């Protein structure tokens, strides 16, 4: 079964600290993996996209990694800001129909 | 603003009533998707269109749900005889191709009393 699992479910950190969110997937065939940021009450916004051959992709303070062998990805946030408080959703495109398979997200709270 | 827009942003209705939501995708995008998201969960796929053709429907889309995209531009999602279990955020997304990034609208939050 095609699944995307994220951990932790929620995370609280202090402003200025770094954090890393994890994503494990069992999707075959695999096309690409995206990380989305979703603010409360808003639609998701794409942060990064990685294909099979890419190991890392950065977008400002966000750095995503992908290990296609172990089917794991991480999203590292550097020097967190209050505005980073949101849910971060890992999304894998794949399967026989090329559908998007969403994780449940990690809810990040950045405290002053 | 040239992003995906949705209307209304919020809808409160009584059980048994019909509701209709609208989505306006990014103008050059030929693919349009509808998702449902409940609290603490990731979005769940409902259906998608390529131009005006509805190409796939999830098993989540019961007979009470219908979606249209008559001219290949905006789309509507109608829920008939709403139930309390329909309460959720309904998200619309559009993309320029099958493997391209989906851009999401702000969503319509539905509350069925």
């Amino acid at each position: 079964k095609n699944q995307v699992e994220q951990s932790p479910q929620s995370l609280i950190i202090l402003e200025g600290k770094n954090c890393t969110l994890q994503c494990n997937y069992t999707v075959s065939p695999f096309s690409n993996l995206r990380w989305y940021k979703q603010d409360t009450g808003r639609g998701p916004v794409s942060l990064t996209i990685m294909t099979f051959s890419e190991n890392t992709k950065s977008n400002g303070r966000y750095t995503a990694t992908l290990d296609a062998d172990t089917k794991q990805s991480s999203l590292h946030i550097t020097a967190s800001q209050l505005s980073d408080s949101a849910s971060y959703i890992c999304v894998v495109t794949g399967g026989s129909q090329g559908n998007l398979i969403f994780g449940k997200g990690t809810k990040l709270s950045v405290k002053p | 603003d040239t992003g995906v827009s949705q209307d209304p942003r919020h809808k409160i209705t009584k059980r048994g009533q019909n509701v209709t939501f609208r989505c306006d995708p990014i103008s050059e995008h030929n693919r349009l998707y509808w998702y449902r998201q409940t609290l603490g969960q990731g979005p769940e796929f409902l259906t998608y269109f390529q131009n005006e053709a509805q190409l796939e429907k999830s098993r989540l889309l019961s007979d009470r749900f219908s979606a249209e995209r008559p001219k290949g531009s905006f789309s509507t999602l109608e829920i008939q005889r709403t139930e309390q279990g329909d309460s959720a955020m309904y998200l619309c997304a559009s993309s320029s191709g099958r493997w391209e990034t989906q851009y999401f609208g702000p969503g319509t939050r539905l509350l069925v009393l």
Side-chain angles (χ1 to χ4, degrees):
Chain A
K1 182 180 179 182
N2 291 323
Q3 284 187 317
V4 176
E5 301 285 342
Q6 291 188 243
S7 63
Q9 188 174 14
S10 62
L11 182 63
I12 301 174
I13 61 173
L14 292 175
E15 186 179 12
K17 297 296 186 182
N18 304 336
C19 67
T20 301
L21 315 180
Q22 301 290 343
C23 173
N24 297 337
Y25 61 91
T26 56
V27 178
S28 181
F30 170 89
S31 175
N32 58 56
L33 185 147
R34 294 178 173 91
W35 283 92
Y36 279 87
K37 178 186 179 186
Q38 185 174 24
D39 292 314
T40 301
R42 309 286 297 184
V45 174
S46 179
L47 293 175
T48 63
I49 176 173
M50 289 182 292
T51 59
F52 184 87
S53 59
E54 294 176 295
N55 299 120
T56 185
K57 183 75 69 77
S58 291
N59 178 1
R61 295 180 296 102
Y62 302 103
T63 300
T65 64
L66 174 65
D67 185 334
D69 292 330
T70 61
K71 299 186 177 182
Q72 294 180 327
S73 176
S74 65
L75 180 69
H76 186 75
I77 304 175
T78 304
S80 61
Q81 300 176 357
L82 298 179
S83 60
D84 293 332
S85 295
S87 287
Y88 292 83
I89 304 174
C90 176
V91 186
V92 178
T93 302
S96 59
Q97 300 296 322
N99 291 331
L100 266 61
I101 299 143
F102 290 79
K104 293 184 178 181
T106 292
K107 186 175 176 62
L108 174 66
S109 296
V110 181
K111 302 296 186 184
Chain B
D1 188 349
T2 57
V4 178
S5 61
Q6 292 186 245
D7 184 69
R9 293 291 310 278
H10 304 274
K11 178 71 176 179
I12 301 174
T13 190
K14 293 182 180 179
R15 188 176 54 185
Q17 298 295 304
N18 300 343
V19 295
T20 300
F21 309 141
R22 176 179 171 127
C23 171
D24 286 89
I26 293 172
S27 59
E28 62 267 26
H29 286 180
N30 58 8
R31 289 197 162 216
L32 186 149
Y33 304 80
W34 285 100
Y35 294 89
R36 182 173 69 185
Q37 186 177 26
T38 53
L39 203 61
Q41 303 292 316
E44 297 173 294
F45 170 77
L46 292 178
T47 187
Y48 90 88
F49 294 82
Q50 180 162 317
N51 300 313
E52 64 274 12
Q54 188 173 16
L55 296 186
E56 187 176 347
K57 292 194 293 186
S58 161
R59 280 169 283 184
L60 292 174
L61 214 65
S62 75
D63 291 344
R64 298 183 297 104
F65 288 71
S66 62
E68 294 183 342
R69 195 183 183 197
K71 298 182 180 178
S73 56
F74 74 92
S75 175
T76 58
L77 177 69
E78 182 184 16
I79 308 174
Q80 296 182 327
R81 304 180 304 280
T82 53
E83 302 172 356
Q84 288 183 325
D86 297 331
S87 296
M89 171 83 90
Y90 289 84
L91 291 164
C92 174
S94 70
S95 72
S96 58
R98 181 178 182 180
W99 306 107
E100 301 304 315
T101 297
Q102 292 186 19
Y103 293 86
F104 284 82
T108 294
R109 183 170 292 282
L110 172 67
L111 177 61
V112 181
L113 301 176

